[in-house]
Amino acid sequence: MPGFELFGEQERKEVNEVLETGILMRYGFDGARKGRWKAKELEQEICSQLSVNHAQLVSSGTAALTTALAVLGIGAGDEVIMPTFTFVASFEAVLSVGAVPVLVDVDETLTLNPEAVRAAITPATKCVMPVHMCGAPADLDALKAICEQHSLLLLEDACQSLGAKYKGKYVGTIGDAGAYSFDFVKTVTCGEGGAVVTNDAQTYTALDAYSDHGHDHKGVDRGADLHPFLGYNFRISELHAAVGLAQMRRLNEFLSLQKKNHAIVKEILSTIPQISFRKIPDESGDSCGSVSWFLPSEEKAKALVTKLKAENILAGNFYWYDNNWHYIRNWHHLKNLSTYNKLNPEQIDALERLSSRDFSASDTIMSRCITTNISLTWTEEQAKEKADKLKAAIESVF
Ligand SMILES: *Cc1c(COP(=O)(O)O)cnc(C)c1O
């Protein structure tokens, strides 16, 4: 699944080119950098590979979401609809711009249930933020239709799904903006990094400025740049971008390795009549970084997790229902409003009501779900062996 598994010569070469000049910053120092612009090159690489007009690199996926929300004009008191199953970064970004995360149920796609989204819309709703979880797309046609009908923005959290597609287009490139993460465990890594993509030129101009203190980047002298709007510093460094450039050039290599091993694991798991698979709105768009599947009941899922632990084969298999970082059940800090900084009144009101909200529809899905990660380094034999062991463990709980 993660690109770091195949870190090698190409990555080292790009990093060394930056080390040779010592210009670790992505902007300025035009003479001293000897024509080396790793961040710019990576942005071009993202645009050409994903067929999107603009890409803005930033320091993380969280910074990408924050930057996207800010430049789309989402702020104090605005409601952003997002799923109960995601990484904490999704709501962190929403809170950081002063907006209100409105959590709604997921369905068997492990992404936003469009009907639950429709039911959560209020006059304060500004944006729908689907999260393409575990490498596969959300139901974008349905979500897009809702956004169009209610004049809402569509921001895709594609942090886990670089390379996944929906009806022929890359996820992240379909909404008003999309965010990717290049942290250490994502499909492509920079070490730390992220990107926002958009097809809208005005949005891009704002992304470019916001992520660098508001610099308009129009002149050759950085110190003389204008700052028509406030911004922050979410810049990526040239060293991080250099790693990402080498990795991004290998995206298709990573995806084809994933597809090969995914097919082996899925075929073996398919022979177990008691389990079913995650529904994927466009099966051919799966990036195949993992396989998600359901046991018939919570009890069976828990029994299996115990078994996998006992046999020391739990690694690479995720039971999200008990996970502290990806599912609402254990987001106690969010539900208890345990923040260092003060929240605004709308945020306080919404978060105080969160504990009493009914998420049983999500619980029914997540309490039975296991995600099995697919490694880039497995040989065919190793993939088979992993899947056979998992299959034997599953069969033992029935
Ligand atoms: C990883 C991730 C992020 C945040 O990315 P970072 O680069 O770690 O800040 C956001 N959303 C989801 C769904 C993620 O998996």
Side-chain angles (χ1 to χ4, degrees), residues 24-323:
L24 312 186
M25 186 172 178
R26 69 159 299 178
Y27 297 114
F29 304 93
D30 294 29
R33 67 191 316 134
K34 301 192 173 138
R36 290 165 193 180
W37 299 90
K38 301 302 176 188
K40 267 189 200 169
E41 264 190 85
L42 176 51
E43 285 166 349
Q44 283 157 7
E45 188 69 28
I46 291 168
C47 289
S48 71
Q49 281 204 46
L50 304 184
S51 305
V52 67
N53 291 348
H54 308 282
Q56 177 64 44
L57 282 172
V58 288
S59 51
S60 70
T62 313
L65 289 170
T66 303
T67 302
L69 287 161
V71 310
L72 290 174
I74 295 157
D78 292 335
E79 293 179 359
V80 178
I81 294 177
M82 52 163 282
T84 52
F85 176 49
T86 177
F87 179 53
V88 290
S90 309
F91 65 72
E92 288 168 356
V94 172
L95 289 172
S96 77
V97 298
V100 175
V102 174
L103 289 142
V104 316
D105 283 319
V106 293
D107 56 23
E108 287 203 351
T109 66
L110 304 183
T111 64
L112 281 176
N113 175 340
E115 282 321 302
V117 170
R118 216 179 265 286
I121 293 170
T122 74
T125 308
K126 198 72 180 276
C127 176
V128 177
M129 186 163 87
V131 183
H132 304 294
M133 275 305 269
C134 307
D139 187 351
L140 284 174
D141 276 352
L143 295 171
K144 237 186 147 169
I146 294 171
C147 289
E148 276 161 18
Q149 189 189 344
H150 295 270
S151 303
L152 304 174
L153 293 157
L154 182 65
L155 169 59
E156 296 175 74
D157 180 341
C159 285
Q160 292 195 1
S161 294
L162 179 70
K165 284 183 178 175
Y166 180 78
K167 300 195 175 169
K169 287 185 178 165
Y170 284 100
V171 300
T173 68
I174 295 164
D176 294 286
Y180 302 110
S181 165
F182 303 126
D183 79 20
F184 195 57
V185 295
K186 298 302 206 283
T187 313
V188 153
T189 189
C190 288
E192 297 285 358
V196 189
V197 294
T198 182
N199 284 308
D200 182 67
Q202 239 176 317
T203 302
Y204 168 68
T205 303
L207 292 169
D208 171 64
Y210 189 84
S211 56
D212 184 24
H213 300 295
H215 275 268
D216 68 357
H217 297 138
K218 279 189 178 150
V220 282
D221 173 9
R222 214 175 133 70
D225 275 351
L226 298 179
H227 40 62
F229 293 93
L230 291 173
Y232 284 95
N233 177 6
F234 293 131
R235 291 190 304 260
I236 196 166
S237 83
E238 280 288 277
L239 285 173
H240 292 90
V243 176
L245 178 59
Q247 288 252 306
M248 189 70 196
R249 289 182 180 140
R250 304 175 68 187
L251 177 62
N252 285 324
E253 171 196 342
F254 295 168
L255 292 173
S256 67
L257 288 169
Q258 283 183 176
K259 282 209 163 85
K260 186 170 65 83
N261 285 332
H262 181 278
I264 294 170
V265 172
K266 190 159 181 192
E267 193 186 315
I268 292 171
L269 294 182
S270 302
T271 60
I272 311 168
Q274 293 94 339
I275 69 168
S276 59
F277 291 92
R278 164 196 196 173
K279 288 200 179 106
I280 298 181
D282 176 2
E283 196 81 43
S284 67
D286 190 351
S287 72
C288 294
S290 56
V291 189
S292 295
W293 44 279
F294 303 105
L295 286 135
S297 67
E298 181 178 342
E299 294 78 64
K300 291 292 182 203
K302 293 208 157 135
L304 176 65
V305 171
T306 306
K307 177 88 183 163
L308 296 177
K309 260 186 205 154
E311 290 188 2
N312 230 358
I313 50 172
L314 185 64
N317 293 286
F318 295 88
Y319 183 51
W320 305 114
Y321 195 57
D322 282 346
N323 184 291

